Amino acid sequence: MIEISHLTKRYGATTVLDDVSFRAPAGRVTGFLGPNGAGKSTTMRVLCGLATASAGTATVGGHRLRDLPNPGRVVGVLLDASAQHAGRSGREVLTLSARLMGLPAARVRDCLALVGLTDAEADARTRTYSLGMRQRLGLAHALLGQPQVLVLDEPANGLDPAGIRWMRDLLRRFADDGGTVLLSSHLLREVEAVADDLVLIGRGRVLAQGSTTELLSAPGTEVRSADDGALARALLGAGHEVRPLDGGGLGTSADAEAVGRAALAQQVVLLDLRPARSAGIEDLFFTLTAGSAREEAAA
Amino acid sequence: MTALSTTPAPGIPWTRLVRVELRKQLDTRAGRWLLGLVVAVDIALMSLLLWAGEPGALGWAGLTEAASAGQLLLLPLIGVLAATSEWSQRTALTTFVLEPRRTRVHGAKAAAAGVLALVVMVATVAAAALANLVGGALRDGAGPWQLEWAFLGGNLLGLLLLVLQGLAFGLALLSTPAAIVAYLALPTAWTLVGSLVPALRTPAEWLDMSGPMTQLMAGTTSGGDWARLATSTALWVGVPLAIGLWRTARRDVA
């Protein structure tokens, strides 16, 4: 389990992280969402012991990563797929880390096969790799030490649609086997499809967090009836909020029972009654980050 | 959470760390080219001496001295690259996650570069012996087989100090071109300044490595020379090393 607790990071007068707290529990995929410069990468770097926080803690299973004797066996990390020595082959990159962690050479072959890098690709220098191949190599590197926790910064970046689906399945299986996954992304659809929990961050502050379903289900219902005007007046009279929907019908804060009772009292025939359409993670994302997004991200 | 705390993975042993760092110094094109160049320059210099040298200059010691020029010039650059490539190639991002004790990693880099220097030195002495045999066959009899321990030990220590200096400049500057230029130019510039400015002549004696290093490698260091070697090494190896270790210990990796 990952626990970020009151994390604050300042560079001089600039506050990059401002009292960030959240948990990524075991057995679940936690999506870490935010526009560029929101503090996702900084949070992950502090978690991985690569940056020092001004205040607060970031721990895995109760330990700071810096205090673990062989961290690669506990946490698999992919922070930047481009951060590989251009002159080494993919296989050499994995071999170095496997030796350092004390893993058998077979583990390198297994991980290369797992991410679908062929022998010829593995023997080519990483200078020649496409971004998608770098991401696959980075994932192989993260999985190398058979960790219980994965920390992945924008892992879907540069993957083709088949690759994105493959990665989604891989992360799902990893979490279903009891692993902890923290993945950051600005690819909203991708996170919606795979994350059990969401943490939204903007300008160094956590803006919202909770389970994906909880965050995405809007309160209230949507209703169509034979006489929307009469029904709207009844619902307003009962103290509920009502707004007209684009394609006809009403959106209201009232639940299904309240709508049903209002319709019964007014003797209006209901044609359609359903829970309010989920706001969509994109709406949520833009609503929550509109005030804190950088201009180019908001454009 | 409990699974994590009940199964503490064993730490990374020192020898394993050194072996991996040694491999990292030789598994890139730059590393292999530098080592290849060391071998090529050493062989070329020995051949030159065999072909053109005065018969009196031949001999095991003379050939070893000639052949050492390649590694004295180029091996420290492997030390520079070992330090800087982590940051210029951004592999620090994985290196310091797998072993967060950064000073320990840098110690392993120094040890690995030292092992490499030792191996190259042994190979050079062996190659010089071979060249002496060849020289005996081609010219009028083999040169003297005399090889002083002071000469051998001085050469090895000198090479180790230069490689450590390369690593130290790399750690202090964290940029390959800047570190190489500084490593090559600064000590020479200082030697020049020390010899041109009369007021600096006395302090330069204590703070210039080139004089004590020449004595060390000739095997003629004695008495106060050791003190001058120590003070100048403290300035040119110790200071950049301390700056580098301090700078990298807590630096944020981007």
Side-chain angles (χ1 to χ4, degrees):
Chain A
M1 186 194 73
I2 296 169
E3 177 142 24
I4 308 290
S5 178
H6 303 291
L7 209 58
T8 297
K9 170 84 181 166
R10 289 182 216 96
Y11 290 104
T14 318
T15 302
V16 182
L17 296 177
D18 187 2
D19 198 30
V20 169
S21 295
F22 66 87
R23 281 161 181 245
R28 294 173 78 85
V29 177
T30 303
F32 195 24
L33 266 175
N36 294 328
K40 304 188 296 291
S41 295
T42 306
T43 305
M44 287 180 155
R45 276 166 171 68
V46 172
L47 175 64
C48 294
L50 293 171
T52 312
S54 309
T57 57
T59 58
V60 170
H63 304 280
R64 292 192 319 161
L65 214 76
R66 277 182 187 172
D67 298 333
L68 293 173
N70 194 347
R73 302 297 296 274
V74 179
V75 184
V77 173
L78 169 56
L79 293 178
D80 187 340
S82 299
Q84 292 298 352
H85 197 296
R88 292 197 180 107
S89 70
R91 191 190 305 280
E92 179 65 16
V93 167
L94 296 186
T95 302
L96 286 171
S97 293
R99 291 200 171 191
L100 194 61
M101 286 187 266
L103 302 166
R107 186 71 195 142
V108 172
R109 282 196 301 276
D110 293 349
C111 285
L112 283 170
L114 185 64
V115 302
L117 284 176
T118 66
D119 278 352
E121 288 169 335
D123 289 328
R125 283 177 298 140
T126 61
R127 183 195 309 278
T128 65
Y129 281 23
S130 67
L131 182 54
M133 283 164 73
R134 285 168 199 265
Q135 292 287 13
R136 286 173 186 267
L137 178 64
L139 269 169
H141 191 273
L143 293 166
L144 202 58
Q146 292 169 310
Q148 297 105 303
V149 177
L150 285 178
V151 176
L152 311 171
D153 199 356
E154 304 273 0
N157 219 353
L159 289 178
D160 53 25
I164 288 178
R165 161 166 285 195
W166 159 80
M167 192 193 64
R168 184 193 303 168
D169 294 344
L170 189 146
L171 297 183
R172 185 72 267 156
R173 265 195 318 259
F174 187 88
D176 288 345
D177 288 345
T180 306
V181 180
L182 177 66
L183 100 145
S184 81
S185 185
H186 62 266
L187 298 177
L188 312 170
R189 294 288 166 210
E190 186 42 48
V191 175
E192 183 177 18
V194 68
D196 302 301
D197 297 310
L198 290 177
V199 177
L200 266 80
I201 185 172
R203 285 216 178 146
R205 286 168 177 273
V206 172
L207 300 173
Q209 56 181 313
S211 77
T212 307
T213 42
E214 192 181 288
L215 284 177
L216 294 186
S217 64
T221 49
E222 291 176 7
V223 61
R224 280 197 310 122
S225 66
D227 185 351
D228 283 348
L231 187 59
R233 278 189 297 278
L235 288 169
L236 285 168
H240 300 294
E241 287 170 25
V242 178
R243 66 187 192 284
L245 292 176
D246 289 344
L250 304 169
T252 170
S253 61
D255 61 13
E257 184 184 346
V259 174
R261 289 193 182 283
L264 181 65
Q266 298 295 315
Q267 296 199 312
V268 173
V269 176
L270 290 186
L271 303 175
D272 189 13
L273 178 61
R274 62 175 77 184
R277 185 166 45 88
S278 114
I281 197 166
E282 202 149 10
D283 295 348
L284 179 67
F285 182 76
F286 283 117
T287 310
L288 288 176
T289 57
S292 60
R294 290 173 164 212
E295 274 170 40
E296 66 268 23
Chain B
M1 200 166 170
T2 47
L4 286 180
S5 45
T6 52
T7 54
I12 298 168
W14 171 250
T15 49
R16 203 158 84 199
L17 193 58
V18 174
R19 273 207 303 274
V20 169
E21 287 301 333
L22 182 58
R23 186 179 169 124
K24 279 162 74 173
Q25 286 170 17
L26 296 175
D27 72 352
T28 63
R29 271 199 174 178
R32 278 196 294 260
W33 267 101
L34 277 172
L35 197 64
L37 265 178
V38 167
V39 172
V41 169
D42 285 3
I43 290 174
L45 287 172
M46 272 193 291
S47 311
L48 192 71
L49 194 64
L50 277 182
W51 179 61
E54 296 286 318
L58 294 179
W60 200 7
L63 284 162
T64 302
E65 193 183 350
S68 299
Q71 64 243 33
L72 290 174
L73 186 68
L74 295 173
L75 218 50
L77 302 189
I78 289 189
V80 171
L81 285 178
T84 55
S85 68
E86 295 279 2
W87 305 85
S88 61
Q89 299 280 340
R90 302 181 61 218
T91 47
L93 219 49
T94 46
T95 301
F96 297 133
V97 171
L98 297 181
E99 176 50 277
R101 286 170 288 178
R102 299 183 191 173
T103 304
R104 189 171 188 251
V105 173
H106 293 136
K109 284 186 192 300
V115 167
L116 189 62
L118 182 66
V119 169
V120 168
M121 193 67 213
V122 168
T124 306
V125 171
L130 203 67
N132 203 29
L133 279 178
V134 174
L138 293 180
R139 315 281 293 260
D140 315 327
W145 282 100
Q146 216 176 350
L147 205 58
E148 302 280 344
W149 281 111
F151 166 80
L152 259 189
N155 264 281
L156 181 61
L157 182 60
L159 182 61
L160 288 175
L161 286 178
L162 287 177
V163 168
L164 193 61
Q165 191 186 2
L167 186 80
F169 271 75
L171 285 176
L173 294 170
L174 296 180
S175 143
T176 308
I180 288 180
V181 169
Y183 165 78
L184 292 175
L186 281 184
T188 313
W190 172 240
T191 304
L192 207 64
V193 170
S195 66
L196 288 178
V197 181
L200 285 177
R201 219 156 274 172
T202 311
E205 245 178 69
W206 291 89
L207 299 175
D208 185 349
M209 254 179 109
S210 63
M213 281 293 264
T214 310
Q215 290 172 332
L216 179 67
M217 289 195 236
T220 59
T221 307
S222 63
D225 300 339
W226 286 110
R228 276 186 282 279
L229 179 67
T231 51
S232 57
T233 303
L235 175 67
W236 289 103
V237 181
V239 170
L241 191 62
I243 292 173
L245 290 179
W246 170 78
R247 193 178 170 196
T248 50
R250 280 174 70 83
R251 188 178 201 250
D252 286 356
V253 183

